Amino acid sequence: MLPGRDLGAASAKWERIQRHLRDEFGDAVFKSWLRPLTLGQAEGGEIVLFVPTRFMRDWVDRHYMDRIRRRWNEEDPAVRSVQIRVHRGKSPPSAVTSRTPAGEGAGAAEQSAAEGQADISAPLDPRLTFENFVVGKSNELAYAAARRVAEATTVPFNPLFLYGGVGLGKTHLMHAITWHIRARDPSRRVIYLSAEKFMYQFIRALRYRNTMAFKDQFRSVDVLMIDDVQFISGRETTQEEFFHTFNALVDQNRQIVISADKSPSDLEGMKERMRSRLGWGLVADIHQTDYELRLSILQAKADHLEASVPLKVLEFLAHKIVSNVRELEGALNRVVAHATLVGRDITLEATQEVLHDLLRANARRVTIEEIQKRVAEHFNIRIADMHSARRARAVARPRQVAMYLAKQLTSRSLPEIGRKFGGRDHTTVMHAVRKVEELRSGDSDFSEDVELLRRMIES
Ligand code: ADP
Ligand code: MG
């Protein structure tokens, strides 16, 4: 049989299988990992799927290949093997990174529209597109809502209110909306600016008595995006002006997108009517990332940097850098930059070394109470003895060890530690720290004991 005929028939099967996989694993997983797979070859019962990167191959192989093979067998019992291979040319358009998104729809109309907005709209980062945004459980609602706004011809909800902690992708989504709209319909006026800039412009307009001109800038806008709106909390006149602008635009059925670090109802210093108004549309929060999303983001960034980073290193980073995406990105950049600079391969050891400060900051926070509990358990004394005045060696020594560990594992000061140990003086804590250090250098059994405790508490 001709290979081409085989491929044609297999294509229909592959489409069915993909639909099943989507149902089985859900949208987020499907989009990130399974949709990028394309059918490469289908000959003599051997199926080859193409995937755009090595990392994706490893990941899909490890997590989804069993299911994919089983599905193939159900579709076609004649299939004997299903392989997955890296093939860069075969990635679908969605996986291709657009370097100059503005260029997609470049034309005279866009140019003039862009010029008209130049005075007020903030510059956009070309990397912050939907294509470069990795979707996971924690951000899928925000992503879907942002896409909806970007693709809509009528206003789907007003406003779209995006909120979440720092570095989780709010600004990224807002830039992405702007890029998307500008590329698709350059005649639409989109203004993106930070709340701070909004405030600054407004105050300047007040000073030069041209608030009319300020208002005019917003009158003809189709989409207004204001980033980090928490910054205008507590600023009465700016808030008032913002409220008017907001209402005027909503009345004219123009789209508004707002971001903040808190939900509308938690925005302190914001007038009640403004808070409730902000919550009228769709409120989408971006949660902290989970491990899987962090790993996908790292992979996407590593590909983008065209750096070959071992899977082990990416997994390590995804485990350890849990604070936010900006920090995760920064960590990867540092590791890659270091390797390039010293001309060595990226290894786990080098990574740990380059990032030791960051890794420490991301380490789990240990409390003094936890330390006291663990140490008391270990030495078989009562927790109350951590606070008591008893001086017997059997309780005094463990108490000193606990103080020592509190100094090592927390950022508490000596007086703070003393207070937690039954209101002891900071000199007592200092003495305990010195004593334990001294004992550790002279007694290896004791030292090992303390080290073991430390590791147990930290893990
Ligand atoms: P925020 O505005 O919420 O503080 P940003 O949008 O500035 O956060 O994101 C911080 C950095 O992390 C940016 O470089 C952004 O591109 C990146 N980032 C955040 N979320 C994602 C994601 N889901 N996929 C890819 N990059 C992301
Ligand atoms: Mg931001």
Side-chain angles (χ1 to χ4, degrees), residues 167 170-172 192 227-228 259 326:
K170 301 181 294 294
T171 298
H172 190 138
Y192 163 86
D227 205 352
D228 288 321
S259 90
R326 184 172 299 134

Side-chain angles (χ1 to χ4, degrees), residues 44-56:
E46 288 179 9
I47 305 290
V48 179
L49 299 172
F50 285 160
V51 68
T53 66
R54 260 179 304 131
F55 174 85
M56 273 193 140

Side-chain angles (χ1 to χ4, degrees), residues 3 83 123 133 362 376:
Q83 301 299 328
F133 192 83
N362 273 274

Side-chain angles (χ1 to χ4, degrees), residues 52-114:
T53 66
R54 260 179 304 131
F55 174 85
M56 273 193 140
R57 178 197 62 197
D58 296 344
W59 185 269
V60 171
D61 203 32
R62 186 134 41 110
H63 293 90
Y64 307 114
M65 236 13 221
D66 280 351
R67 290 305 301 159
I68 294 175
R69 290 207 175 92
R70 209 165 311 152
R71 286 282 179 199
W72 268 106
N73 276 327
E74 284 162 18
E75 273 296 326
D76 183 354
V79 165
R80 280 178 296 118
S81 83
V82 182
Q83 301 299 328
I84 176 165
R85 246 180 252 154
V86 179
H87 193 296
R88 287 190 182 265
K90 280 283 178 173
S91 58
S94 69
V96 174
T97 319
S98 46
R99 255 152 298 143
T100 51
E104 282 170 13
E110 193 205 13
Q111 285 250 304
S112 63

Side-chain angles (χ1 to χ4, degrees), residues 46 54 58 75 93 102 110 216 242 262 351 374 396 403 410:
E46 288 179 9
R54 260 179 304 131
D58 296 344
E75 273 296 326
E110 193 205 13
D216 278 350
F242 176 62
K262 296 188 193 68
T351 301
R374 287 301 192 98
M403 288 184 199
T410 73

Side-chain angles (χ1 to χ4, degrees), residues 177 245 331 424 452:
I177 292 173
T245 309
R424 287 181 157 76
L452 196 73

Side-chain angles (χ1 to χ4, degrees), residues 131-187:
E131 287 72 24
N132 288 344
F133 192 83
V134 184
V135 185
K137 269 204 288 297
S138 58
N139 59 22
E140 65 185 347
L141 175 64
Y143 171 81
R147 269 220 98 105
R148 192 65 203 290
V149 162
E151 282 161 8
T153 42
T154 55
V155 175
F157 24 71
N158 222 357
L160 166 59
F161 190 99
L162 300 170
Y163 80 93
V166 69
L168 294 179
K170 301 181 294 294
T171 298
H172 190 138
L173 285 176
M174 292 178 118
H175 282 220
I177 292 173
T178 317
W179 284 126
H180 193 92
I181 294 176
R182 286 195 185 166
R184 220 199 35 186
D185 183 359
S187 69

